[in-house]
Amino acid sequence: MLAVAARLRASDDFRRTVRQGVRVARPTLVVHARTHHSPPGVPSTQVGFVVSKSVGGAVVRNRVKRRLRHLSRPLVESSSDLHVVVRALPAAASATSDTLASDLAGAWQATVRRLSTSTPARGTAP
């Protein structure tokens, strides 16, 4: 399971990541990511999840979140200095584990590639 300290929780962090970060979409999810420099004692990569009511009822939304948390653990451990927001789309509710895993891994790697080649956004610290 994903460590509690590696989860993005503050709404300001979610907002900044979605607005200032790069975005990559797949059929089941959208990944937003931005670089950040974490203070000592805080994991360098943190991830948050957004699963709206359009995905399904409470049981379905929680199942999707659990699956995404589980699938994101190795990605968090292999990344550094990132804030990532994973937004589930309605197709995530009926997707197989393999499909969800490949969509998440592919979108995550694409955001990392985009961040490594892009210039810093205006108004953000390098």
Side-chain angles (χ1 to χ4, degrees):
M1 203 47 137
L2 185 63
V4 173
R7 295 184 193 167
L8 199 59
R9 293 186 170 228
S11 63
D12 286 340
D13 291 335
F14 275 85
R15 191 175 304 111
R16 269 193 293 271
T17 301
V18 170
R19 289 183 181 172
Q20 297 174 359
V22 297
R23 176 179 63 95
V24 175
R26 295 291 187 259
T28 58
L29 51 85
V30 178
V31 175
H32 301 267
R34 73 179 179 93
T35 57
H36 83 103
H37 301 289
S38 60
V42 176
S44 65
T45 296
Q46 292 181 319
V47 62
F49 303 95
V50 177
V51 184
S52 72
K53 287 184 179 181
S54 66
V55 173
V59 173
V60 173
R61 291 194 313 267
N62 285 323
R63 183 182 312 126
V64 169
K65 275 189 274 192
R66 281 193 308 270
R67 290 170 69 191
L68 289 171
R69 274 197 307 265
H70 175 73
L71 294 170
S72 66
R73 182 178 179 199
L75 300 170
V76 168
E77 292 171 352
S78 67
S79 301
S80 61
D81 295 332
L82 290 177
H83 273 177
V84 179
V85 173
V86 178
R87 184 168 45 93
L89 299 175
S94 60
T96 65
S97 293
D98 291 339
T99 302
L100 201 57
S102 66
D103 281 356
L104 180 60
W108 189 292
Q109 295 306 322
T111 58
V112 170
R113 278 193 306 272
R114 281 191 184 175
L115 285 171
S116 67
T117 60
S118 68
T119 59
R122 274 185 294 186
T124 60

